[in-house]
Amino acid sequence: MDEKVKSIKEDLQKDIASATKLQDIVDIKAKYIGKSGCITDLMKNMKDYSPEERKEIGQIVNNLKNEVTEIISNKEKDLNNEILNAKLANESIDITLPATEIKCGAPNILEKVVEDFEEVFMSMGYDVYDGPEVEEDKYNFELLNIPKGHPARDAQDTFYIKDDEILLRSQTSPVQARVMLSLEGKEPVRMICPGKTYRRDDDDATHSHQFMQIEGLLVDHNISLSDLKGTFDVIARKLFGEETQTRFRPSYYQFTEPSVEMDISCFSCKGKGCSLCKNTGWITIAGAGMVHPNVLSMCGYDPEKWNGFAFGFGAERCAMLKYNINDIRCFYNTDLRETETFDRRDGE
Ligand SMILES: [Zn+2]
């Protein structure tokens, strides 16, 4: 027995010395202490001995097994350390190398402009509403004082889905009609409804068949044009700088009376005249007016008791002015060279 133990130990020393990888350890474990390993065999043969011998030999085999197991596990630890050290040596980091640039997405610049508007209006107590882009003729035109056959429809020709009744909305105003109807003429309204709109325009640098409007509506008691002017002043200063001046020019819309164009002083030349403002010193950025009594009454509000103002900004126009973009198609053609120009993560 002593001979056997001795020879097993000698074999093990040789095997351990020549083991260089983890698979060698697996093989060694199988050879000595595995299910059909030589030490396991010794244990299986115990039945051949007398009870006295069994006790003594059992002790020897157990000690041997413990010793062998420890030797193998020490070698396994050493090998693991060697592998780790070799890996660390290979993967050493050169901190002087430039870091890998991580590409990061950002919202579309239009989204940013809309969010800026939302923030200012919400600070003045306005709610933000959403509405369907596929709309009924009734909400898109009729309730806004543009009956069938009215020439004002020509300027807002859109895409029709079904007959003349279902269409892609040509303005976001139908959301205002929906909100007024839902309040049944009982509560004041203070809302904006930014969103996509559609018109059958040929695309060029300043026209797009799809664009975004930021329309708003305020209905309450004793509202005047000066309330609109004050509101516009706040918006213009917040979005285009504290020194921005504003002015109204008379205009015409079917759903407001009186109607105005809202201009801001040119932020590029500070009013002196430049190509951006076509040498006028002023830039038109929105249309607005006092809500037409017909619109109020069709949407459930008694024009004798209620009045208010409505306005509409073009998101693309504001973005083009603010970020000096000269082609509206830039917003929709997904050209990365153009969209990457605007780093929108810095809050600007
Ligand atoms: Zn100018």
Side-chain angles (χ1 to χ4, degrees), residues 33 52 59 95 107 134-136 163-164 185 201 205 223 225 227 232 234 239 276 283 288 297-299 311 332 347:
I33 50 178
E52 288 76 30
Q59 191 82 49
I95 56 166
V134 177
E135 206 25 298
E136 291 175 39
D163 303 328
D164 285 348
D201 271 335
I223 303 299
L225 212 53
D227 294 312
F232 183 51
V234 172
L239 297 177
L276 186 69
I283 298 171
S297 64
M298 278 190 286
C299 293
F311 52 84
Y332 298 107

Side-chain angles (χ1 to χ4, degrees), residues 5 13 111 113 190 219 279:
V5 169
Q13 289 304 338
E111 199 69 30
V113 168
R190 196 176 288 193
V219 178
N279 287 319

Side-chain angles (χ1 to χ4, degrees), residues 266-279 281-283:
C266 179
F267 46 83
S268 178
C269 63
K270 307 286 176 213
K272 289 194 199 91
C274 69
S275 61
L276 186 69
C277 57
K278 298 191 178 85
N279 287 319
W282 295 92
I283 298 171

Side-chain angles (χ1 to χ4, degrees), residues 50-62:
S50 69
E52 288 76 30
E53 285 172 321
R54 237 181 266 168
K55 196 177 173 191
E56 197 190 333
I57 293 170
Q59 191 82 49
I60 294 171
V61 175
N62 254 336

Side-chain angles (χ1 to χ4, degrees), residues 94-105:
D94 181 353
I95 56 166
T96 62
L97 282 172
T100 315
E101 192 194 351
I102 299 169
K103 291 252 178 189
C104 179

